Amino acid sequence: MVEKVKVRIDGEVIAATAGQTILEVARANSKYIPALCYMEGLSATGACRLCVVEVSGVARLVPACTTPVAEGQSVVTSTPQIESYRKIALELLFAERNHVCAVCVSSGHCELQALAQEHGVTHVRYPYSCPRLPVDTTHPRYVLDHNRCILCGRCVRTCAEIEGAHVWDVAGRGIGSHLVSELQRPWGEATTCTSCGKCVQACPTGAMAEKGWAVEEMTKHKTVVSRLTSMREGS
Amino acid sequence: MSNALAMALPRVEDQDLIDRIIGDQAGRPGALLGILEKLQDANRHKYLPMESLEYVALRTGVPQSQVYGVATFYALFNLDPQGTHTVAICRGTACHTRGSRALLERVKLQLGLEESGTADKLTLTTPDRKFTVRTVACFGQCALAPVVEIDHAIRGHVKEQALIREVDLLRKEAAR
Amino acid sequence: MTTKTTPKPQAEASAARKLTIHPVSRIEGHAKITIRLDEQGQVADTQFHVTQVRGFEKFVEGRPYYEMPSITARICGICPVSHLLASSKACDSIMAVRIPPAAAKARELLHMAQFVQSHALSFFHLSAPDLLLGMDYDPAKRNVAGLLEEHPDALRDGIALRKFGQTLIERLGKERIHPSWTVPGGVNNPIDPSVRDKTLAELPSAVAIVERTLAMWKAAVEGFPAEVESFSNFPTMYCGNVGPDGSLRLYDGNLRFVGPDGAIVADQVAATDYATYVAEATLPHSYLKAPYFRPVGFPGGVYRVGPLARLNVADRTGTPLADAELAEYRQRYGRIVQSGFHYHYARLIEALHGLERIGELLDDPEILGTRVRAHAGVNNNEGIGVIEAPRGTLIHHYKVDDNGAMTWANLIVATGHNNLAIGRGVEQVAKRFVHGSKIEEGALNRVSALVRAYDPCLSCSTHVLGQAAVVLQLEGPDGEILDEIGTV
Amino acid sequence: MDKVKIGTCWLDGCSGCHMSLLDVDESIVTILRKADIVYGPLVDAQEWPEGTDVAIIEGAVSSQDDRELVQTARARSKYLIALGDCAVTGNVPSMRNGIAVRKLLERVYVEGADVSAGIPTDGVPPLLRQAEPLRQTVKVDLHVPGCPPRPNAILMVLSELLEGREPDLGSKLRFG
């Protein structure tokens, strides 16, 4: 039994199905809400806070990717306050690691870089933490550069939910959090990795890339995850 | 897979222990935390060896990366062998303003521990595994600042000289 | 906010003095010159300081080798293409590939475009104010703005020539500065025929500019006898790349070293053997290391690189117009040209050669070939790339582990090779022009102009970590600073 | 009307942003008619002049000299532009930041020298611990990101300023 609800997004009344999230409904109706950790076909985690929206009757901003629609709900996707929060979130992502866009394999094809431009982030107002982080080059076909990881977890969920291998997870906590394969093994020695490369395609930045592509050359096939999901649902 | 597993397995008696612990916890949601806690408790050096973590993953079906994520998220768990004695120095705000950093540096010097930690948690163990020095975010005893915990006993208003004496005493004890 | 101004202690009657030029202006980077005077007010000695260091050799450790071309391009925004290419060549050698012929030609085309723009910048934007307005011209106007007033046609020529080179770079690599077109294994896109057609159409007017400028230069140089005589006018060795037939090679070739008299000391030295001949010394007063000719030793093994050196080293340029100019140049100054002032002349001849090579490469049907990239993993744990940058020989030397992570890097840049010669040149020109307690601005400018003649790329030089502007400081024998021109 | 006084300099950068400025080609003539370049690599001024209208700074702040120069530029200029990623984010120069300065210098001048090894100190400025964006040292009025910023963006910024308007970069520019 599919229950229908009516919600208002940026003033427009939209019919939706109960259980859908605000983000899903918005995107299905060509309303743009930015997001980094969300990826169609994966579970939502509400980690990056870029998709925050205003919901009538709720005092704080809520992440659109994890908030279900409800009858009579009124959603606003962009206000000066929302935009300023999104900008802060983006700036903090840059400040945390060493992105150095100019010499990144994903420059020009990076979701973080593009979102920063879209939101008019011309500089970061916080001091950079400049951690010294390794690059894992041990896998024969792929590379993991921790300097460019934003801990969105898309690789973790892709590997766990789509490939079923769950090679990746996030270890540590706070500023020390980092992506880990198995028990902190070098990627090339991870026995559960099938080398399918879907994590690389899911990565929004240059943190994961195919080996051998030079700066600016790494373009990703972002739809691989949603295509697989929809094909499986269809079968 | 079988080959890599064979190399990484813990000793047979440890396997038995892990199997027993897992058996006790079987089916409980969030069982992993309890398993790891018991495992660390049973370890002579109070830590979780990599082989044990791998075996836990194998037996519980929890992915290795998730086991590792849990083991590194909680400050309670150690991935390195701990010393016989533990000196935990608080670096909460109150203790910090009352000179806990100097206490830490002094103890490190006394025990010949050199490297400095940059992460939010610092744990250093002497090569002879007699002492582990670590920092703690807050003991909740701010009125007693600076606070140091020695072998699970809290000391308040700690002075440098008193701390040195106490650690020296433990060192001589350990030497006997 | 407080501003620190440089202290300027007054000269006491007796003492000898130190003079500092800081910044050395109209150069590509940051340098400082210290001149010590004796009690008679004569130049006792000088130091050429490069004052910035950046640490590329260290911080690239751990990075995948195939990122090196783009990372090292950020050493220099004037000749990023040189670093892109030297680095790509080092990477080709790590991959153990021979890149497709179309890719080699495409890279050389990009390189020639850079030669043209870089030589245009050095000649017109940086040095022409001295050469056309005069060494003693009002320093407030001795720059491109002054050129605009007095010699607008020359300035327009300079802008147009630089634009020709930069536009070709942009057409090939999408960006004028830091294009990412050149990659390990070749280039990442074949050349579109429209690039060839547009460039060939513009080529004649670029050639005309260089020919016009050469004619102007040949007349103007007569007005600088003292500069010709004193700008690094001393015997040194010279180094540059030549082809198997001894002709000038800028993209490929092997190293040749010649003695002060032109005798060949070492020839057809492959990139892999560079270290047999080149060693490096640290100077206590500069962040720029000083390479020297290893068989002779330090500090005697001074050699020069760059346009003057290349034309001394090569038997011919290999293109007709440039060869005709080279013949006239040699007729005027001899087979081995020693004065550093003639770097300008040599630079113009090379710009002409660069334009001719562009024409030749574009006329070659292979330039449009579509196989332009070889793919491979790590097949060598070490790779060396050598190229002639506009300022001289550039060496990239890398070591990687089996996974392709950089474990070690050494970069020897053109201005480094010239470091010892510039240092000695500063002393020579200071002794010729700087006298007494009061420093004349014109004297100061000549010291800077000597540095400028080498077209030192201090951005490149300071890849290790530093920066150079020129401060001229007059210092007494006991070290007090008597006069200082320049700012920190 | 008086010409606008522009000063430019580069700190720890590659000069590419200055080259991108020259890449406006013939438009530089238009700029030169409306503005005087009172300091910078293209002119002979030895000192950053008082009363500068616009300071255009390329590169990160990496050495004592850099810090002093940018502070002087700030104190003597009405409007300060951070031009390019090094000035805006630290960019490639900041890749050294996780490494101790001493290690960096030793790698280059001691390990990397065949003779007379040693870290230069005579007449060269000390390095700062990190290469940092300008805004961590001085107040910046406008950030123009890019490696380098494209010539048309630089031309737009300068044209607006020469017309007395505050440039609005909106979403025109990106890092890298």
Side-chain angles (χ1 to χ4, degrees):
Chain A
M1 184 64 219
V2 181
E3 194 192 330
K4 288 287 179 189
V5 295
K6 274 201 176 117
V7 294
R8 196 181 280 272
I9 299 181
D10 291 338
E12 190 182 325
V13 178
I14 292 170
T17 308
Q20 276 188 297
T21 64
I22 295 173
L23 188 70
E24 282 166 352
V25 174
R27 291 208 171 172
N29 289 277
S30 312
K31 302 260 178 221
Y32 176 66
I33 299 174
L36 265 176
C37 71
Y38 172 83
M39 190 170 214
E40 199 185 329
L42 299 178
S43 62
T45 55
C48 74
R49 312 315 273 187
L50 277 181
C51 68
V52 287
V53 292
E54 264 180 31
V55 173
S56 54
V58 182
R60 59 190 171 80
L61 300 179
V62 299
C65 72
T66 55
T67 309
V69 288
E71 180 62 37
Q73 200 177 44
S74 177
V75 175
V76 179
T77 63
S78 177
T79 66
Q81 188 206 17
I82 291 173
E83 289 307 319
S84 80
Y85 281 24
R86 285 175 183 159
K87 232 172 146 171
I88 289 172
L90 287 165
E91 288 176 49
L92 289 172
L93 288 174
F94 278 106
E96 200 167 279
R97 301 229 170 156
N98 311 304
H99 287 275
V100 198
C101 299
V103 293
C104 175
V105 285
S106 283
S107 184
H109 320 283
C110 168
E111 291 182 41
L112 179 66
Q113 183 188 36
L115 280 168
Q117 176 174 9
E118 181 186 306
H119 287 81
V121 177
T122 60
H123 65 291
V124 171
R125 289 165 289 176
Y126 312 98
Y128 287 86
S129 38
C130 304
R132 182 99 184 124
L133 298 171
V135 183
D136 186 341
T137 55
T138 56
H139 194 283
R141 285 165 57 194
Y142 311 115
V143 179
L144 167 61
D145 184 351
H146 289 280
N147 292 286
R148 297 186 167 115
C149 174
I150 57 170
L151 296 170
C152 66
R154 275 163 42 170
C155 56
V156 174
R157 284 171 283 146
T158 301
C159 188
E161 297 168 14
I162 309 295
E163 180 65 5
H166 208 132
V167 174
W168 301 108
D169 216 309
V170 176
R173 66 165 150 179
I175 195 74
S177 305
H178 61 278
L179 196 62
V180 68
S181 49
E182 297 185 344
L183 299 164
Q184 189 87 288
R185 278 202 194 95
W187 191 357
E189 293 166 27
T191 52
T192 51
C193 175
T194 62
S195 298
C196 73
K198 285 197 283 293
C199 53
V200 174
Q201 304 305 334
C203 173
T205 71
M208 284 183 171
E210 289 164 5
K211 245 184 187 176
W213 292 116
V215 168
E216 292 179 21
E217 289 192 315
M218 185 66 223
T219 50
K220 303 202 173 162
H221 306 288
K222 293 281 160 51
T223 52
V224 71
V225 168
S226 55
R227 277 213 322 271
L228 280 172
T229 323
S230 62
M231 280 191 283
R232 283 175 192 172
E233 279 165 357
S235 66
Chain B
M1 171 134 183
S2 58
N3 188 27
L5 206 59
M7 294 191 310
L9 276 181
R11 290 178 320 192
V12 178
E13 55 268 40
D14 291 343
Q15 288 184 36
D16 290 345
L17 172 76
I18 297 170
D19 286 342
R20 265 204 316 281
I21 293 172
I22 293 172
D24 290 349
Q25 307 277 336
R28 269 185 52 205
L32 184 60
L33 264 181
I35 292 169
L36 295 180
E37 195 181 349
K38 286 212 168 109
L39 201 54
Q40 175 164 301
D41 225 34
N43 184 290
R44 199 157 69 93
H45 296 293
K46 304 290 177 233
Y47 83 112
L48 299 166
M50 278 304 157
E51 309 86 73
S52 299
L53 290 180
E54 185 162 351
Y55 192 68
V56 167
L58 179 74
R59 282 289 179 237
T60 57
V62 177
Q64 293 181 17
S65 54
Q66 211 169 8
V67 172
Y68 189 83
V70 169
T72 52
F73 182 84
Y74 295 97
L76 168 77
F77 295 123
N78 305 309
L79 296 190
D80 300 306
Q82 299 297 291
T84 319
H85 301 289
T86 304
V87 180
I89 296 176
C90 180
R91 57 171 174 199
T93 314
C95 292
H96 180 80
T97 54
R98 292 260 178 157
S100 70
R101 170 148 209 106
L103 292 178
L104 174 65
E105 292 308 318
R106 192 67 193 76
V107 171
K108 274 165 65 186
L109 196 69
Q110 187 181 6
L111 297 173
L113 297 166
E114 270 177 23
E115 48 194 308
S116 61
T118 47
D120 56 352
K121 178 188 163 194
L122 174 138
T123 306
L124 298 170
T125 299
T126 55
D128 61 4
R129 289 196 190 164
K130 292 280 165 22
F131 281 92
T132 292
V133 175
R134 65 200 309 183
T135 57
V136 172
C138 183
F139 284 111
Q141 303 284 342
C142 306
L144 301 178
V147 175
V148 176
E149 187 196 65
I150 300 174
D151 290 342
H152 305 294
I154 297 261
R155 316 287 155 98
H157 303 305
V158 177
K159 301 227 166 14
E160 244 182 76
Q161 286 310 316
L163 182 62
I164 292 169
R165 269 201 306 277
E166 188 129 8
V167 170
D168 239 9
L169 214 64
L170 289 174
R171 192 148 63 165
K172 280 177 194 140
E173 219 171 82
R176 276 205 303 271
Chain C
M1 182 161 314
T2 58
T3 303
K4 188 187 172 244
T5 50
T6 317
K8 297 185 179 179
Q10 290 305 303
E12 293 303 322
S14 68
R17 297 168 309 162
K18 184 167 96 173
L19 195 65
T20 306
I21 307 181
H22 186 190
V24 177
S25 55
R26 283 184 281 130
I27 59 168
E28 294 141 2
H30 312 256
K32 182 165 104 171
I33 291 169
T34 310
I35 301 172
R36 288 195 179 78
L37 303 186
D38 63 19
E39 296 185 11
Q40 283 72 48
Q42 301 303 312
V43 173
D45 68 68
T46 60
Q47 280 180 338
F48 173 62
H49 312 269
V50 173
T51 58
Q52 198 183 40
V53 37
R54 296 159 74 194
F56 275 78
E57 277 110 332
K58 182 70 188 169
F59 72 63
V60 298
E61 287 172 9
R63 304 295 320 170
Y65 71 91
Y66 47 78
E67 289 182 358
M68 289 298 286
S70 281
I71 293 180
T72 57
R74 267 68 186 184
I75 288 172
C76 179
I78 297 159
C79 55
V81 170
S82 307
H83 289 282
L84 278 168
L85 292 174
S87 181
S88 296
K89 285 171 89 172
C91 293
D92 298 343
S93 134
I94 285 169
M95 293 153 70
V97 296
R98 177 179 297 178
I99 68 169
K105 286 176 180 160
R107 282 184 182 179
E108 186 182 351
L109 180 63
L110 184 76
H111 194 40
M112 291 305 100
Q114 181 198 229
F115 256 81
V116 171
Q117 70 84 9
S118 174
H119 280 1
L121 175 85
S122 170
F123 187 85
F124 290 99
H125 296 70
L126 301 176
S127 286
D130 293 332
L131 308 174
L132 299 181
L133 300 171
M135 294 280 173
D136 300 295
Y137 198 78
D138 176 5
K141 292 185 182 164
R142 196 175 52 211
N143 53 45
V144 286
L147 280 187
L148 180 60
E149 279 175 30
E150 299 289 331
H151 299 275
D153 292 345
L155 181 63
R156 280 178 208 286
D157 273 357
I159 291 171
L161 188 60
R162 182 170 179 279
K163 183 183 178 182
F164 173 83
Q166 289 290 76
T167 305
L168 179 50
I169 292 173
E170 185 178 11
R171 284 177 188 152
L172 295 170
K174 294 199 187 73
E175 304 290 347
R176 288 178 164 209
I177 295 158
H178 305 323
S180 53
W181 185 51
T182 296
V183 293
V187 295
N188 64 19
N189 268 306
I191 296 175
D192 189 274
S194 70
V195 173
R196 177 191 58 189
D197 302 342
K198 284 189 232 166
T199 306
L200 282 175
E202 292 161 0
L203 191 58
S205 64
V207 171
I209 289 174
V210 179
E211 287 185 323
R212 204 153 54 227
T213 311
L214 269 163
M216 178 189 75
W217 172 256
K218 285 179 224 169
V221 67
E222 304 299 338
F224 296 91
E227 285 77 9
V228 169
E229 189 187 292
S230 63
F231 273 36
S232 282
N233 191 2
F234 43 69
T236 62
M237 294 176 60
Y238 304 94
C239 161
N241 269 288
V242 294
D245 62 346
S247 65
L248 178 68
R249 286 295 177 91
L250 301 173
Y251 172 70
D252 51 12
N254 287 310
L255 287 173
R256 174 187 278 180
F257 292 86
V258 303
D261 55 352
I264 294 172
V265 179
D267 202 6
Q268 301 301 329
V269 175
T272 45
D273 288 335
Y274 85 91
T276 310
Y277 298 95
V278 176
E280 291 181 277
T282 298
L283 304 178
H285 59 268
S286 180
Y287 279 137
L288 177 58
K289 285 191 283 188
Y292 57 93
F293 190 63
R294 193 190 285 273
V296 173
F298 178 77
V302 181
Y303 61 91
R304 286 187 267 183
V305 299
L308 181 92
R310 283 190 289 251
L311 294 190
N312 281 342
V313 161
D315 301 330
R316 68 192 73 81
T317 69
T319 55
L321 295 177
D323 271 335
E325 290 294 343
L326 181 64
E328 186 183 341
Y329 169 81
R330 285 178 177 167
Q331 199 179 11
R332 281 174 169 235
Y333 306 114
R335 174 62 183 81
I336 294 296
V337 181
Q338 186 170 285
S339 170
F341 197 71
H342 294 313
Y343 264 98
H344 297 300
Y345 195 164
R347 194 166 288 127
L348 290 172
I349 296 173
E350 280 196 345
L352 190 58
H353 170 72
L355 290 170
E356 289 183 280
R357 276 303 288 157
I358 289 172
E360 289 176 358
L361 286 162
L362 288 173
D363 284 337
D364 184 340
E366 204 166 27
I367 195 79
L368 299 180
T370 50
R371 285 173 191 271
V372 289
R373 187 172 190 173
H375 288 276
V378 176
N379 291 305
N380 273 324
N381 291 103
E382 191 167 355
I384 300 172
V386 176
I387 196 166
E388 288 296 327
R391 286 148 199 83
T393 313
L394 172 64
I395 302 169
H396 280 222
H397 184 181
Y398 306 154
K399 292 178 188 170
V400 297
D401 67 16
D402 292 343
N403 295 320
M406 293 287 299
T407 56
W408 183 90
N410 192 33
L411 312 169
I412 305 180
V413 299
T415 304
H417 300 288
N418 282 336
N419 199 359
L420 291 173
I422 295 176
R424 283 178 54 187
V426 164
E427 181 159 343
Q428 185 183 40
V429 72
K431 284 186 167 156
R432 174 74 173 71
F433 290 102
V434 178
H435 305 284
S437 56
K438 185 80 194 118
I439 309 157
E440 297 298 331
E441 199 283 333
L444 181 101
N445 186 40
R446 281 177 177 82
V447 179
S448 299
L450 170 273
V451 178
R452 248 169 251 146
Y454 281 92
D455 189 21
C457 184
L458 298 165
S459 303
C460 290
S461 322
T462 61
H463 63 280
V464 284
L465 195 52
Q467 171 151 338
V470 179
V471 175
L472 196 59
Q473 215 177 46
L474 202 54
E475 184 184 80
D478 45 352
E480 81 277 19
I481 296 163
L482 299 183
D483 196 357
E484 181 168 292
I485 304 179
T487 55
V488 177
Chain D
M1 200 181 93
D2 276 356
K3 281 183 164 186
V4 174
K5 295 191 180 70
I6 297 179
T8 80
C9 71
W10 76 71
L11 308 172
D12 188 354
C14 75
S15 73
C17 299
H18 273 75
M19 293 306 112
S20 200
L21 170 59
L22 289 183
D23 281 338
V24 303
D25 298 330
E26 299 83 1
S27 301
I28 195 80
V29 172
T30 318
I31 295 170
L32 287 173
R33 292 200 197 285
K34 290 186 185 167
D36 275 331
I37 299 177
V38 294
Y39 185 89
L42 285 177
V43 301
D44 279 356
Q46 296 281 319
E47 200 163 342
W48 196 291
E50 299 278 359
T52 302
D53 294 299
V54 181
I56 302 176
I57 317 270
E58 167 186 351
V61 177
S62 187
S63 73
Q64 193 60 36
D65 276 10
D66 295 341
R67 179 180 280 171
E68 286 168 12
L69 182 54
V70 73
Q71 285 174 342
T72 304
R74 174 72 274 184
R76 298 180 183 177
S77 313
K78 293 190 193 115
Y79 192 87
L80 187 143
I81 300 174
L83 183 68
D85 275 359
C86 298
V88 171
T89 74
N91 201 24
V92 173
S94 72
M95 288 173 77
R96 76 164 171 90
N97 287 359
I99 306 165
V101 166
R102 177 131 214 113
K103 278 201 175 139
L104 201 74
L105 295 175
E106 276 171 0
R107 160 68 190 86
V108 177
Y109 300 107
V110 180
E111 290 165 44
D114 295 281
V115 298
S116 65
I119 294 172
T121 51
D122 176 13
V124 293
L127 272 192
L128 304 179
R129 194 174 63 85
Q130 298 198 326
E132 291 177 345
L134 301 189
R135 55 162 300 284
Q136 290 182 224
T137 302
V138 295
K139 177 176 171 286
V140 174
D141 298 302
L142 182 71
H143 288 90
V144 184
C147 187
R150 306 298 174 261
N152 56 5
I154 299 176
L155 187 60
M156 187 278 272
V157 165
L158 285 179
S159 309
E160 290 290 285
L161 287 173
L162 291 177
E163 295 300 321
R165 288 190 296 263
E166 174 83 23
D168 175 18
L169 295 175
S171 295
K172 293 189 187 72
L173 300 181
R174 65 166 163 85
F175 299 129

